[in-house]
């Protein structure tokens, strides 16, 4: 590890902390439905959408209606995407003449982008036409991100409102978030990327002469526009197979830094929005503190392991850190930071190949996802996932010290705890169940490139990434098979929507409750003790649940490496 590397990491966190309140203020204005400076230009567009669709944005919905509309919207998008991918070969905007996707790959990809997972069992530039990239995938990048933020707003209203029957209007939330937040930021972001060298064209490829005198076809396309929302919306699906390790997606150290910032910035801002919504910004800062502690712990371990390198290579006289699978443009520190950022935020973009990380360096991205999108999490999904753990933490605190289980003025009772446990239990049940199945049946065992614990890690990582709606991969697993496309697709749907529905039920339950002022019997939820309890509950639940599987995978891989055996 170097001082330069730590300066990069600390500068990254420092800039995000500075941006937290401004982004939080903007999000809070959208949360409340207030006017913003952009309403002068975009207000008529918003009203036009409502007139065309027959939606009354002032008509609020209870949690069941909110959930039904959200599910209907996402199923409709899924079917549209599946149709576009299957018919790609006969649709326009296909300069390379690529055929339509197979049924299993189209099924997997349609669910993947609907669920904000963006898992890719294909090479983007060699599989998707320009039309498919824009109409089927980029649109999802906007709308799945807007859905996540809208759901976070719904839960925030549950905590903030008193004796209310409604938690907002799903259609109004998604429209405002897309129009006044995601689109404006992405337009500016896209211009920055184009100026930095990222292509934005409808051309399919350009022919060039190489230094050796041969002819080479360099694939192009509308990359910058997809790249912007890919990062800002914590989507992660790359236009190119190499993702953000490709110079057309991530050409410079500056774009690499800005991409990492954009992955986290909305997640940071939503913590401040939560505090503002419940009338105490210290509540938001407490949640952000716990998130940052978990994030910095992960970065420290990953950076230390990658900087230490492989002891087997050291014995052979190859000194230095682990540069296998890393872009020399970025090096170890930036690659380690990027890998933790992208898995802490359920983004899935990568600028290095995680399959080539050291065993413990690769374990941290895996463990980040197993914690349930709570380190920073996806846009919206991070804050509502973290608040599910906060409900459990305040309940556990009440059991331990005899305090009344209350959180931000709402009594936490059996209904909320049961629903929170139901939502959190989805991850381990599906991840471990599908991993166990794939470790014993022939179609599952045909996928891993490596044997032994590293091969097991490839399977475990795939289902963890799918259920955690992350989308990154260990890259050693051959996932484009009917077996993995089908099973990973089901895992992604469970990981997204089987968490959302119980969460919305909690929002409805909390909104109907009276406000309970803090008293001497209330457990304080803004200080260091509360932050420590939150971190402890998350690590204990994650550790107890997934430690056996980690022991079979990356931990066994690490011990084997120390003994001189590689897989």
């Amino acid at each position: 590890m170097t001082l330069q590397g730590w300066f990069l990491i600390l500068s990254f966190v420092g800039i995000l902390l500075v941006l937290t309140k401004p982004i939080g203020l903007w999000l809070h204005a959208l949360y409340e439905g207030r006017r913003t400076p952009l309403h002068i230009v975009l207000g008529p567009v918003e009203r036009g959408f409502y007139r065309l669709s027959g939606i009354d944005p002032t008509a609020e919905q209870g949690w069941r209606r909110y959930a039904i509309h959200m599910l209907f919207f996402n199923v409709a998008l899924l079917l549209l995407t599946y149709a576009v991918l299957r018919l790609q070969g006969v649709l326009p905007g296909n300069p390379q003449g690529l055929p339509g996707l197979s049924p299993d790959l189209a099924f997997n990809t349609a669910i993947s982008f609907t669920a904000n997972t963006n898992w890719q069992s294909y090479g983007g530039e060699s599989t998707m036409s320009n039309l498919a990239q824009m109409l089927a995938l980029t649109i999802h990048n906007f709308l799945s991100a807007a859905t996540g933020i809208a759901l976070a707003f719904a839960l925030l209203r549950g905590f903030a409102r008193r004796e209310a029957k409604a938690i907002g209007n799903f259609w109004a939330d998604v429209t405002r978030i897309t129009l006044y937040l995601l689109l404006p930021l992405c337009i500016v972001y896209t211009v920055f990327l184009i100026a930095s060298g990222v292509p934005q064209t409808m051309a399919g490829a350009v022919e060039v002469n190489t230094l050796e005198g041969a002819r080479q076809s360099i694939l192009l396309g509308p990359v910058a526009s997809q790249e912007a929302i890919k990062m800002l919306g914590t989507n992660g699906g790359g236009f190119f197979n190499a993702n953000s390790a490709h110079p057309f997606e991530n050409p410079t150290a500056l774009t690499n830094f800005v991409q990492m910032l954009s992955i986290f910035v909305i997640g940071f801002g939503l913590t401040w929005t939560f505090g503002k919504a419940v009338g105490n910004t210290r509540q938001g800062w407490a949640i952000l503190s716990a998130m940052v502690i978990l994030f910095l712990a992960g970065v420290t371990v990953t950076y230390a392991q990658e900087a230490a390198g492989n002891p087997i290579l050291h014995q052979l006289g190859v000194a230095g850190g682990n540069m296998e699978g890393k872009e020399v443009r970025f090096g170890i520190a930036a690659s380690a930071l990027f890998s933790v950022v992208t898995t802490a935020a359920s983004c899935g973009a990568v600028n290095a190949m995680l399959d080539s990380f050291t065993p413990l360096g690769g374990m941290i991205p895996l463990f980040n996802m197993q914690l349930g999108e709570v380190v920073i999490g996806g846009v919206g999904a991070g804050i509502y996932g973290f608040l599910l753990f906060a409900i459990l933490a305040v309940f556990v605190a009440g059991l331990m010290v005899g305090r009344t289980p209350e959180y931000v003025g709402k009594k936490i009772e059996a209904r909320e705890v049961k629903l929170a446990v139901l939502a959190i239990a989805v991850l381990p049940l599906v991840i471990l169940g599908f991993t166990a199945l794939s470790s014993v049946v022939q179609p599952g065992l045909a996928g891993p490139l490596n044997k032994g614990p590293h091969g097991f890690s490839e399977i475990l990582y795939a289902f963890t990434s799918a259920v955690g709606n992350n989308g990154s991969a260990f890259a050693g697993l051959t996932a484009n098979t009917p077996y993995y496309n089908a099973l990973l697709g089901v895992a992604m749907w469970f990981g997204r929507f089987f968490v959302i529905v119980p969460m919305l039920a909690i929002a409805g339950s909390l909104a109907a409750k009276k406000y309970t002022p803090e008293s001497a019997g209330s457990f304080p939820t803004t200080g260091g003790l509360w932050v420590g309890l939150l971190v402890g509950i998350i690590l204990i639940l994650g550790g107890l649940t997934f430690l056996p599987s980690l022991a079979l995978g990356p931990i066994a891989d690490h011990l084997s490496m120390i003994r001189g055996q590689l897989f």
Side-chain angles (χ1 to χ4, degrees), residues 488-548:
L488 287 167
V490 173
M492 287 183 274
W493 189 264
F494 273 56
R496 178 74 162 178
F497 297 103
F498 279 58
V499 173
I500 286 173
V501 174
M503 181 276 295
L504 287 175
I506 291 173
S509 177
L510 291 173
K513 292 177 181 285
K514 297 179 179 179
Y515 177 77
T516 304
E518 286 189 13
S519 66
S522 301
F523 186 85
T525 55
T526 56
L529 180 62
W530 169 243
V531 172
L533 179 63
L534 273 175
V535 172
I537 289 291
I538 292 168
L539 290 177
I540 289 170
L541 286 177
L544 290 177
T545 304
F546 291 104
L547 182 58

Side-chain angles (χ1 to χ4, degrees), residues 550-564:
L550 295 174
L552 291 172
I555 295 175
D557 200 4
H558 176 74
L559 296 175
S560 297
M561 180 182 70
I562 293 174
R563 295 179 57 191

Side-chain angles (χ1 to χ4, degrees), residues 57 79 230 344 370 379 426 490:
L79 295 175
K230 155 191 163 181
Q370 290 174 340
V379 286
V426 169
V490 173

Side-chain angles (χ1 to χ4, degrees), residues 57-102:
T58 63
E60 294 212 338
Q61 302 163 332
W63 79 264
R64 291 180 180 84
R65 191 171 180 81
Y66 199 102
I68 290 170
H69 284 224
M70 179 274 301
L71 289 170
F72 173 81
F73 178 63
N74 280 275
V75 169
L77 287 173
L78 185 151
L79 295 175
L80 170 66
T81 303
Y82 181 82
V84 170
L85 297 179
R86 293 284 287 137
L87 298 172
Q88 173 180 272
V90 297
L91 292 174
N94 188 3
Q96 299 179 69
L98 297 170
L101 275 62
S102 65

